[in-house]
Amino acid sequence: MKKFAIALSALALGISAASAADLPARTYTKAPPPSLVAVYDWSGFYIGVNGGGGGGENCWNFVSAGFDAGCHNVRGGVVGGQIGYNWQASNFVVGVELSGDWANLRGSNVPVLATSGTDNSHVSSIFMATARAGYAWDRALLYVKGGAAWVHQDYFRTCNGITATGACLPVGFTPTTGSETRVGGVVGAGFEYAVTNNVILGIEGDFLPLGTRDNTFNARPTYSCGAGPGQPCTIAVKENLWTVTGRLGWKFGGPVVARY
């Protein structure tokens, strides 16, 4: 009996070994590593030019004379340049930028209570210092910005002749002038696209809420703007501006990075 059990066990082991020999050999393969993809990197310095148009509204109040002179729109062109630096982490881009534009925004109106003269405004330059934050899809970048703005402008009245509210002669003469560089805020948004590794095209719109400020206007002898002939007067000017510009830039530094 014992011999029979030993023989039966040996037979079972032989069958198991034969079955295992008939099975195909199992192979183990390592998963392939993730592939690297070349993605545009917005990090680095850039410099460029811009140009477009702008406008806004100027409202005058003759504080010294005690009457509201109404509002007029200013319109015209702007052209200038910008310089800045971007940092990119994943798809998020932040940066700082300085820009300066020559401007030729002009507008005028005739006050209802002082039709003898026309009020004129001329915005001649716009400077901005801003921070930017955006989201990049490879070579495309959508961003918002905000910061401070400096706007230089000239104000003046021109004579309309003899009217129902008084006389200002000769016609076209400038009896009253003023000027200022106003500091205010700016908010904006833009879109940029890297057409090559270094050349960037974009469009940007900005809004400049500049508030209300009292300005000293100078009157020529025999003319008055509310404080007596030849005397300086105070005129409060409320102002808001906007600009829309196309941008062409050159980016320095490494153009692309490898990411999984």
Side-chain angles (χ1 to χ4, degrees):
M1 189 67 178
K2 184 176 182 181
K3 291 180 179 181
F4 178 76
I6 293 173
L8 187 61
S9 298
L11 179 62
L13 289 173
I15 294 173
S16 298
S19 299
D22 291 337
L23 292 174
R26 181 177 293 179
T27 58
Y28 296 91
T29 58
K30 187 181 281 189
S35 58
L36 291 173
V37 179
V39 179
Y40 191 81
D41 186 8
W42 288 88
S43 299
F45 285 100
Y46 63 88
I47 190 170
V49 295
N50 68 75
E57 183 180 64
N58 280 21
C59 298
W60 291 22
N61 186 288
F62 282 68
V63 177
S64 298
F67 72 91
D68 189 345
C71 303
H72 54 261
N73 294 323
V74 294
R75 296 287 188 273
V78 297
V79 62
Q82 67 274 350
I83 184 171
Y85 189 90
N86 288 322
W87 295 267
Q88 181 169 358
S90 183
N91 295 91
F92 298 96
V93 179
V94 295
V96 291
E97 181 178 282
L98 296 174
S99 65
D101 286 81
W102 168 85
N104 186 28
L105 312 183
R106 296 177 179 270
S108 63
N109 75 294
V110 177
V112 174
L113 299 179
T115 57
S116 61
T118 298
D119 300 337
N120 300 267
S121 298
H122 175 214
V123 177
S124 57
S125 61
I126 302 172
F127 294 90
M128 293 184 283
T130 55
R132 310 198 312 171
Y135 190 88
W137 294 267
D138 193 17
R139 292 179 176 270
L141 173 64
L142 183 66
Y143 64 89
V144 294
K145 64 186 294 185
W150 292 261
V151 177
H152 182 79
Q153 51 206 318
D154 298 304
Y155 308 116
F156 56 98
R157 279 177 59 81
T158 53
C159 288
N160 293 337
I162 301 175
T163 70
T165 61
C168 186
L169 295 169
V171 175
F173 181 69
T174 303
T176 308
T177 60
S179 65
E180 67 165 328
T181 297
R182 183 176 299 203
V183 180
V186 55
V187 293
F191 175 80
E192 292 183 333
Y193 187 82
V195 294
T196 72
N197 290 338
N198 301 103
V199 177
I200 298 173
L201 293 178
I203 185 170
E204 179 177 294
D206 296 301
F207 176 66
L208 290 71
L210 299 173
T212 302
R213 179 172 172 176
D214 289 348
N215 291 272
T216 299
F217 281 57
N218 296 310
R220 297 182 184 274
T222 73
Y223 292 91
S224 174
C225 55
Q231 299 298 312
C233 65
T234 299
I235 298 177
V237 179
K238 179 182 179 180
E239 182 175 33
N240 295 306
L241 297 178
W242 57 265
T243 62
V244 176
T245 55
R247 294 158 61 98
L248 171 64
W250 179 270
K251 176 183 171 296
F252 300 92
V256 295
V257 295
R259 294 178 184 166
Y260 290 107

